[in-house]
Amino acid sequence: MDKRIEIFLGDITTLEVDAIVNAANSSLLGGGGVDGAIHAAAGSKLLQECKQLNGCKVGQAKITQGYDLPAKYVIHTVGPIYDKEKQGQEKELADCYINSLKIANEYELDSIAFPSISTGVYNYPIIEASKIAFQQVKVFTQTNTYPKKVIFCCFSIKDYQIYKDIVKNYKR
Ligand code: APR
């Protein structure tokens, strides 16, 4: 397996990496799920900075400090709310990973951790979502020096196993 990509089972707010990615909503003013956990762990200064950002469009990404988190930065991105009738959601989800990685590259960050964007409250099917995630990270790391390490942070054994299987079965 590509040593630049790791799969971790646990809470993303505990990771001592350069940046953790937040699966936010377009207001960037917090919420539940990983968004709620990150804001709770970072402290109120995170929300204060987010309020200056004027929200974030689906597929886009914006960076803030990490404050009380062990991570230096938080990269906030907004995934699509899954709707099987809607076209273009694959690209929106892919853009979340690409635009977060672009910021990490711009800041020359060594390490970044992603949660499984859109697969919780936003209901994106985990298998399709993890294939998109892995594909985008694989391609990006083949053509960019930074980030040096990308961690997929899974919050359940089920997700962890899905990511492990995808990485194992990846055909170049
Ligand atoms: N660490 C890592 N992963 C986590 C954590 C955590 N502490 N908490 C939740 N997760 C996982 C979920 O299990 C899921 O696999 O993050 C993934 C994304 O789920 P959500 O947090 O629900 O995010 P999403 O599906 O993108 O929905 C975003 O939910 O919380 C609100 O404000 C957020 O409106 C936005 C929406």
Side-chain angles (χ1 to χ4, degrees):
M1 176 171 116
D2 181 336
K3 56 188 181 313
R4 288 180 67 182
I5 298 176
E6 273 178 26
I7 303 166
F8 173 79
L9 174 60
D11 179 347
I12 202 167
T13 64
T14 65
L15 291 179
E16 201 162 334
V17 290
D18 288 330
I20 57 172
V21 175
N22 181 21
N25 59 59
S26 50
S27 74
L28 291 188
L29 299 179
V34 70
D35 194 6
I38 288 173
H39 276 274
S44 58
K45 290 198 182 87
L46 177 60
L47 183 59
Q48 278 168 27
E49 184 175 357
C50 285
K51 282 179 178 169
Q52 313 304 319
L53 297 178
N54 299 318
C56 183
K57 288 191 173 57
V58 174
Q60 298 301 306
K62 294 188 176 179
I63 190 167
T64 65
Q65 298 297 316
Y67 300 104
D68 299 344
L69 285 161
K72 234 178 274 161
Y73 298 102
V74 181
I75 294 174
H76 306 262
T77 191
V78 181
I81 300 173
Y82 185 68
D83 171 352
K84 62 180 184 313
E85 309 301 324
K86 229 173 133 188
Q87 301 297 315
Q89 293 202 311
E90 266 195 33
K91 181 180 179 314
E92 287 176 332
L93 184 58
D95 285 347
C96 289
Y97 288 91
I98 295 166
N99 288 318
S100 299
L101 289 163
K102 279 182 179 170
I103 292 174
N105 188 46
E106 195 188 307
Y107 278 64
E108 296 191 340
L109 303 183
D110 284 333
S111 54
I112 181 173
F114 284 98
S116 192
I117 299 166
S118 278
T119 65
V121 167
Y122 283 0
N123 236 0
Y124 209 106
I126 176 70
I127 293 182
E128 287 85 338
S130 43
K131 282 181 186 160
I132 293 166
F134 180 72
Q135 174 70 22
Q136 294 308 323
V137 168
K138 189 78 185 159
V139 166
F140 192 92
T141 51
Q142 279 166 348
T143 48
N144 291 276
T145 311
Y146 293 98
K148 290 195 167 24
K149 173 80 75 179
V150 180
I151 299 167
F152 286 115
C153 180
C154 302
F155 206 47
S156 70
I157 295 265
K158 172 177 153 277
D159 290 3
Y160 180 76
Q161 203 44 59
I162 287 168
Y163 272 87
K164 281 277 188 202
D165 292 347
I166 282 168
V167 171
K168 198 172 74 223
N169 304 327
Y170 181 77
K171 302 275 175 291
R172 280 189 177 290

